[in-house]
Amino acid sequence: MKTGTLDRIDQCILAALQADASLQNQTLAERVNLSPSACLKRVQRLRRAGVIRQEVAILDAARVGFPVLVISRVSLRSTAREAIQAFERKVQALPQVLQCHCVAGETDFVLVICARSLPEYQAFAQQQLGDALELKSYSSDVVLSTTKFTTQLPLGTARPVGA
């Protein structure tokens, strides 16, 4: 499936699943005005194409014991391919790191990290980031509150690439 080849029904299916991935096929089919078999085929096609990467439950971090959220900016001593790959492998193995983005600009990576407390984050940053990796620098911002958090893409406003 090419980027930008989602028709209106595909977009409706994806919007509904973004809002509630636990929808039964029958309910989803009714919402998008398709037969259950046609709806299921479309969902399976979207999964095979990688448009639907994963279906998850989004937890309230604070209610499950992770009230601290930190955004860290990391600069590596070397930006050679091997150094970048070693950093990415290390980050993949750290469950506290919720997101890792390679970025252009003054830093090389932006991480989103969860912790049970500030002392726990500090120990994690020193042991897992500072001591264990070849970092030039890192800085951290503790999230005080979250005004908006979503994983839903604005499909109604999406335009095909090149349009």
Side-chain angles (χ1 to χ4, degrees), residues 43-134:
V43 170
Q44 289 170 336
R45 179 177 49 83
L46 292 165
R47 284 187 183 122
R48 280 192 311 273
V51 174
I52 299 174
R53 289 184 4 200
Q54 187 176 7
E55 295 177 32
V56 300
I58 298 173
L59 307 181
D60 183 310
R63 290 184 184 197
V64 296
F66 295 94
V68 176
L69 191 63
V70 179
I71 299 170
S72 294
R73 283 169 300 289
V74 175
S75 293
L76 304 180
R77 285 195 183 133
S78 168
T79 55
R81 174 176 280 192
E82 298 80 25
I84 290 172
Q85 290 173 340
F87 177 80
E88 290 173 338
R89 279 192 304 276
K90 174 68 175 180
V91 166
Q92 286 288 340
L94 297 171
Q96 299 91 331
V97 177
L98 304 177
Q99 298 176 34
C100 175
H101 304 278
C102 183
V103 297
E106 292 183 29
T107 60
D108 299 314
F109 291 91
V110 174
L111 309 176
V112 177
I113 301 166
C114 67
R116 289 183 175 88
S117 66
L118 285 174
E120 179 183 276
Y121 170 73
Q122 182 178 13
F124 168 82
Q126 289 172 342
Q127 295 165 5
Q128 299 298 325
L129 298 179
D131 296 342
L133 299 170
E134 293 292 319

Side-chain angles (χ1 to χ4, degrees), residues 2-8 10-12 14-15 18 51 152-163:
K2 293 181 183 177
T3 302
T5 60
L6 301 174
D7 65 18
R8 184 188 59 74
D10 288 338
Q11 289 184 10
C12 289
L14 293 171
Q18 281 190 116
V51 174
Q152 296 181 32
L153 298 174
L155 295 175
T157 62
R159 291 190 180 141
V161 174

